[in-house]
């Protein structure tokens, strides 16, 4: 009966809905209804204001006064992730703030945020950012939004830290649930999932749906444990819900392998506790099926490891198209052995940052010697550094190497099958495919598949291809703040064309749901595999029969023609 706990305000709202005829409407819904919703959520309903609006002198077609000092603060921090996390209207991959099909938006030039061409004589528009949002603090806020959507037909979107590469956390004319404030973090060395017997226990960290990974790492460090997580300070819960790779995943599994309990509000308004002992179907679906298809995750609990000493290899050199081809070839020749020795990391063009908890410093150096020699011969450098903990490694190396935020980028990705690394012909095929790609882009390789992890079959809903792959490879495209529709279309199609070559050499493999091509062909097969997808769809229909929560290429996707996706280029 939770759902009807606040029925008085609902009835009030409903009667306004039928009788009101006032003019002031958003998407056909008059302001009185929004006011009623605002009262229900204790005044936490807001109208969004574009992140860079202070720089512009026109907003939604009306003249406005620019605010120089606010503008210059935004210009300074335009590519700062923490600044973006704290602003509802800012997204890490900034084209998702805009309506890419029409070009309406409010962006600066991410290469040079002071470039006046971006904001002088340009009309700032909300683009694809929701007009209204609720800064969620309690389960009741989420229930209020579900009920509002059900009654008014206003669509919902769920935004956490806005890292999404596929636009799944924004949406023109939606009511958005912003989860940033759910930032609690706690540790329990003997966590027993609710409903399980007391011999099922884990050393585990529980965090709110909106906690920042960097805060979780620091908290874990203070408690002398290791949280296995992603390669960026501000990634949110969408990370583990869609898979969740870490450079420690080769040893300890993906985010979906490590979560032991999820508290989620499903569209019927109930707070469900999902784990291995109860609501097991929902638990399975949330371990890879993505967040905003099944409910709003308020809190999740994840196994942690003891404090780990790590060997880190930091290797880099000035790259060019000819030494890069040889370099990727070298990494391909060595990757199987590196994988067996527990290495995980990133290969970003002419650089490697890798870690392993399995080797001593001397063994690590020997294992990486060929790569270090190569880099030095090209005028670069290579070191092995021993770090006392993940957090120490993160602070020293990741903060300066993590992926940039603010620019308009898109990815095409593929899980690269281990079998390719096992034969000379396979290695040749992969080396040649990368070589062919170099004139367009240097593939960015995440060595973050659960290569050595002892997986219990059937426990997660991510594509089984994760379990037979050594690399998660991506090709990146990019456009500028002032791109034309033709340029945007061209970049998406170039990315699609280049990643297709990697699909062709890995038949039967798949791609990472969180970092796939926006236009991934056969996405159901690619992200989950058809057996998993059929089951995911059953769980979706059980918990969200009215399709209240939908997003692009998510489970139960209604297809590109839905007006919710009017800003995607088709
Ligand atoms: C710079 C950068 C670095 C990255 N590094 C990594 C990495 O190292 N490893 C990796 O695996 N991925 C990485 N990613 C990809 C990342 O996992 C995805 O972008 C993921 O969607 C981010 O989740 P979010 O909550 O921050 O994003 P959002 O864009 O806010 O949300 C993404 C999706 O998840 C849903 N969602 C988020 N939280 C909840 C919740 N609590 N309840 C219900 N639904 C929710 C949203 O509705 C949306 O559909 C990176 C992305 C970027 C931009
Ligand atoms: C919601 O109420 C608060 C507090 O009264 C107010 O400050 C805010 O502007 C209201 N939001 C909207 C969208 O009207
Ligand atoms: C920019 O961001 C940093 C880090 O998030 C913050 O400390 C600083 O105050 C911000 N600067 C401005 C001018 O807002
Ligand atoms: C931290 O954990 C490590 C490894 O488990 C252990 O050796 C060490 O004694 C612990 N230190 C503290 C201060 O608890
Ligand atoms: C690439 O870089 C290496 C090392 O700096 C140099 O010897 C080589 O000539 C360069 N090749 C090209 C095509 O620029
Ligand atoms: C990769 O290196 C091997 C030798 O280690 C060589 O035989 C092969 O031709 C190289 N492949 C490419 C595509 O450069
Ligand atoms: C997986 O299981 C095997 C056999 O039990 C064991 O030797 C290995 O260490 C395990 N791997 C990990 C990463 O725990
Ligand atoms: C975009 O702006 C840059 C300068 O910042 C300019 O060189 C380029 O021509 C512009 N492109 C379009 C399509 O207007």
């Amino acid at each position: 009966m939770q759902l009807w706990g606040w029925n008085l305000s609902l009835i009030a709202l409903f009667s306004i809905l039928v009788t009101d005829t006032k003019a002031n409407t958003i998407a056909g819904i008059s302001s009185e209804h929004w006011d009623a919703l605002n009262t229900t959520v204790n005044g936490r309903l807001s109208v969004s204001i574009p992140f860079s609006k202070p720089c512009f002198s026109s907003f939604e077609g009306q003249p406005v006064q620019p605010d120089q000092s606010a503008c210059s603060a935004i210009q300074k921090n335009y590519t700062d992730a923490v600044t973006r996390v704290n602003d509802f209207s800012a997204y890490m991959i900034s084209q998702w703030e805009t309506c890419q099909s029409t070009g309406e938006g409010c962006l600066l030039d991410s290469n040079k945020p002071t470039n006046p061409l971006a904001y002088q004589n340009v009309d700032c528009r909300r683009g694809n950012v929701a007009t209204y949002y609720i800064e969620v603090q309690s389960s009741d806020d989420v229930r209020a939004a579900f009920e509002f959507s059900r009654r008014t037909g206003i669509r919902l979107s769920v935004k956490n830290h806005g890292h999404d590469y596929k636009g799944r956390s924004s949406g023109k004319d939606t009511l958005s649930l912003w989860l940033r404030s759910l930032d609690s973090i706690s540790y329990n060395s003997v966590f027993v999932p609710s409903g399980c017997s007391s011999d099922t226990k884990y050393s585990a960290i529980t965090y709110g749906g909106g906690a920042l990974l960097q805060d979780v790492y620091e908290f874990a460090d203070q408690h002398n444990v290791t949280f296995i997580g992603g390669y960026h300070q501000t990634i949110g819960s969408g990370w583990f819900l869609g898979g969740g790779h870490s450079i420690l995943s080769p040893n300890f599994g993906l985010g979906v392998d490590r979560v032991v309990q999820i508290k989620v509000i499903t569209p019927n308004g109930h707070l469900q506790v999902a784990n291995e002992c109860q609501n097991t179907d929902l638990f399975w679906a949330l371990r890879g099926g993505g967040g905003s298809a099944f409910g709003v995750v308020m809190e999740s609990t994840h196994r942690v490891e003891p404090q780990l000493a790590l060997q880190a290899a930091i290797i880099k050199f000035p790259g060019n198209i000819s030494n890069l081809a040889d370099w990727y070839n070298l990494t391909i020749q060595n990757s199987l052995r590196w994988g067996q020795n527990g290495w995980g990391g990133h290969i970003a063009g002419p650089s490697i940052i890798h870690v392993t908890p399995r080797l001593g410093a001397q063994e690590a150096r020997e294992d990486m010697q060929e790569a270090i020699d190569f880099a030095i011969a090209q005028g670069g450098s290579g070191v092995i550094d021993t770090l006392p903990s993940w957090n120490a490694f993160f602070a020293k190396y990741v903060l300066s190497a993590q992926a940039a935020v603010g620019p308009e980028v898109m990815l095409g990705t593929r899980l690269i099958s281990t079998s390719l690394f096992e034969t000379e012909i396979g290695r040749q095929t992969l080396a040649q495919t990368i070589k062919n790609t170099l004139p367009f882009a240097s593939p960015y390789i995440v060595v973050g598949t659960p290569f050595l992890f002892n997986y219990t079959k059937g426990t997660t809903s991510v594509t089984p291809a994760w379990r037979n792959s050594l690399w998660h490879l991506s090709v990146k495209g990019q456009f500028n703040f002032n791109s034309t529709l033709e340029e945007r279309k061209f970049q998406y199609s170039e990315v699609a064309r280049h990643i297709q070559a990697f699909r062709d050499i890995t038949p039967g493999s798949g791609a990472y749901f969180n970092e796939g091509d926006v236009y991934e062909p056969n996405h159901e097969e690619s992200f989950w595999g058809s057996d998993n997808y059929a089951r995911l769809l059953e769980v979706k229909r059980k918990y969200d029969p009215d399709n209240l929560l939908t997003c692009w290429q998510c489970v139960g996707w209604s297809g590109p023609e839905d007006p919710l996706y009017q800003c995607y280029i088709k």
Side-chain angles (χ1 to χ4, degrees):
M1 281 293 97
Q2 268 164 320
L3 184 59
W4 301 104
W6 44 280
N7 58 5
L8 279 184
S9 55
L10 242 192
I11 290 163
L13 187 155
F14 189 61
S15 50
I16 297 165
L17 195 68
V18 251
T19 55
D20 183 84
T21 49
K22 286 220 183 76
N24 188 10
T25 66
I26 303 276
I29 305 301
S30 90
S31 58
E32 277 81 358
H33 307 133
W34 293 104
D35 290 345
L37 174 64
N38 198 8
T39 305
T40 310
V41 300
N42 300 316
R44 258 175 285 102
L45 179 74
S46 303
V47 170
S48 70
I49 297 166
F51 177 48
S52 301
K53 174 177 172 280
C55 297
F56 289 75
S57 49
S58 169
F59 174 51
E60 298 282 345
Q62 303 294 319
V64 287
Q65 197 59 40
D67 178 338
Q68 293 304 342
S69 74
C71 174
S72 90
I74 290 157
Q75 289 172 322
K76 283 201 188 82
N77 269 354
Y78 193 71
T79 57
D80 179 69
V82 174
T83 302
R84 282 183 178 263
V85 158
N86 291 320
D87 189 307
F88 169 75
S89 300
Y91 284 77
M92 300 297 165
I93 307 302
S94 65
Q95 77 265 28
W96 298 111
E97 292 170 28
T98 75
C99 194
Q100 293 170 67
S101 57
T102 63
E104 292 172 344
C106 194
L107 298 183
L108 301 184
D109 178 351
S110 65
N111 294 315
K112 189 174 181 268
T114 53
N115 180 359
L117 290 179
Y119 53 89
Q120 283 176 0
N121 303 315
V122 178
D123 187 29
C124 165
R125 313 282 295 211
R126 269 194 192 90
N128 201 38
V129 175
T131 313
Y132 283 100
Y133 65 97
I134 298 169
E135 189 167 347
V136 173
Q137 276 175 6
S138 71
S139 301
D140 285 340
D141 295 342
V142 177
R143 291 188 189 106
F146 284 151
E147 204 48 36
F148 184 79
S149 173
R150 218 186 283 285
R151 297 211 166 234
T152 61
I154 291 285
R155 308 290 288 272
L156 299 175
S157 57
V158 179
K159 186 199 183 202
N160 199 336
H161 299 160
H163 269 256
D164 208 56
Y165 281 106
K166 305 188 68 182
R168 297 171 303 178
S169 51
S170 49
K172 193 176 179 60
D173 294 339
T174 57
L175 165 62
S176 179
L177 292 167
W178 189 28
L179 307 180
R180 171 69 185 100
S181 301
L182 303 172
D183 59 359
S184 63
I185 309 177
S186 63
Y187 171 61
N188 185 345
S189 61
V190 285
F191 177 83
V192 179
S194 162
C196 291
S197 79
S198 60
D199 30 289
T200 303
K201 53 177 179 275
Y202 302 100
S203 173
I205 280 181
T206 297
Y207 63 82
L212 300 176
L213 270 189
Q214 187 175 10
D215 293 342
V216 176
Y217 295 152
E218 283 166 6
F219 178 89
D221 202 55
Q222 284 155 18
H223 290 78
N224 201 26
V225 293
T226 306
F227 183 90
I228 309 300
Y231 208 70
H232 195 281
Q233 59 189 133
T234 60
I235 300 169
S237 302
W239 170 77
F240 82 86
L241 291 164
H245 61 73
S246 166
I247 67 175
L248 293 172
S249 293
N251 298 283
F252 302 110
L254 297 168
V256 288
D257 293 322
R258 306 195 54 85
V259 64
V260 293
Q261 179 162 293
I262 301 173
K263 289 190 179 167
V264 55
I265 302 175
T266 46
N268 63 5
H270 294 289
L271 179 68
Q272 319 265 6
V273 181
N275 59 40
E276 67 199 272
C277 301
Q278 62 186 51
N279 293 313
T280 52
D281 55 349
L282 189 56
F283 187 49
W284 174 83
L286 288 166
R287 296 173 85 178
S292 51
F294 303 96
V296 172
V297 172
M298 302 299 281
E299 181 187 292
S300 57
T301 304
H302 308 252
R303 268 189 294 156
V304 292
E305 297 294 321
Q307 200 72 282
L308 300 164
L310 297 170
Q311 304 302 330
I314 319 295
I315 305 171
K316 50 179 183 270
F317 60 92
N320 61 46
I321 201 156
S322 69
N323 66 14
L324 273 177
D326 291 340
W327 166 248
Y328 279 107
N329 195 0
L330 181 155
T331 65
I332 291 164
Q333 306 289 336
N334 283 278
S335 276
L336 207 49
R337 191 189 71 254
W338 286 343
Q340 280 147 2
N341 286 332
W343 291 102
H346 292 195
I347 305 171
S351 80
I352 271 190
I353 299 181
H354 269 36
V355 296
T356 177
R358 291 186 173 230
L359 301 178
Q362 187 54 35
E363 294 167 303
R365 168 165 286 279
E366 283 161 19
D367 216 24
M368 282 288 162
Q369 197 61 52
E370 192 184 342
I372 293 171
D373 291 345
F374 182 96
I376 290 171
Q378 302 300 315
S381 62
V383 296
I384 301 292
D385 192 1
T386 305
L387 282 305
S389 67
W390 166 255
N391 195 49
F393 166 77
F394 190 84
K396 186 165 178 187
Y397 293 110
V398 180
L399 292 179
S400 56
Q402 62 190 3
V405 305
E408 298 87 334
V409 298
M410 75 287 293
L411 304 179
T413 70
R414 191 69 176 170
L415 292 165
I416 306 295
S417 320
T418 304
S419 59
L420 270 182
F421 295 87
E422 291 172 338
T423 63
E424 192 48 45
I425 180 138
R427 291 189 290 268
Q428 278 302 322
T429 305
L430 182 55
Q432 191 58 50
T433 308
I434 289 181
K435 194 172 178 176
N436 298 343
T437 309
L438 287 176
F440 173 71
S442 297
Y444 189 103
I445 290 144
V446 174
V447 185
T449 62
F451 185 62
L452 297 174
F453 177 73
N454 290 322
Y455 176 62
T456 306
K457 205 161 183 262
T459 51
T460 69
S461 48
V462 294
T463 168
W466 276 106
R467 313 290 167 185
N468 320 317
S469 299
L470 189 48
W471 283 4
H472 157 53
L473 176 147
S474 70
V475 172
K476 186 174 87 175
Q478 195 154 351
F479 50 74
N480 284 330
F481 69 98
N482 61 352
S483 63
T484 62
L485 180 60
E486 285 315 307
E487 283 164 353
R488 295 193 286 277
K489 279 186 177 163
F490 181 70
Q491 281 300 309
Y492 279 110
S493 69
E494 282 292 278
V495 165
R497 184 164 74 80
H498 286 285
I499 204 61
Q500 186 57 42
F502 293 93
R503 293 188 190 117
D504 293 343
I505 64 168
T506 54
S509 188
Y512 179 21
F513 177 42
N514 279 342
E515 299 184 322
D517 183 344
V518 173
Y519 302 96
E520 183 77 22
N522 305 318
H523 68 280
E524 298 163 356
E525 172 65 34
S526 205
F527 298 146
W528 299 288
S530 37
D531 291 352
N532 281 347
Y533 190 74
R535 231 182 112 196
L536 282 166
L537 204 51
E538 279 175 35
V539 179
K540 167 78 175 172
R541 293 198 175 122
K542 174 174 167 187
Y543 289 96
D544 186 16
D546 304 330
N547 245 348
L548 230 49
L549 291 173
T550 55
C551 42
W552 182 266
Q553 291 197 344
C554 293
V555 173
W557 188 39
S558 46
E561 299 316 322
D562 185 326
L564 186 59
Y565 310 119
Q566 60 187 286
C567 287
Y568 284 76
I569 298 166
K570 279 158 223 142

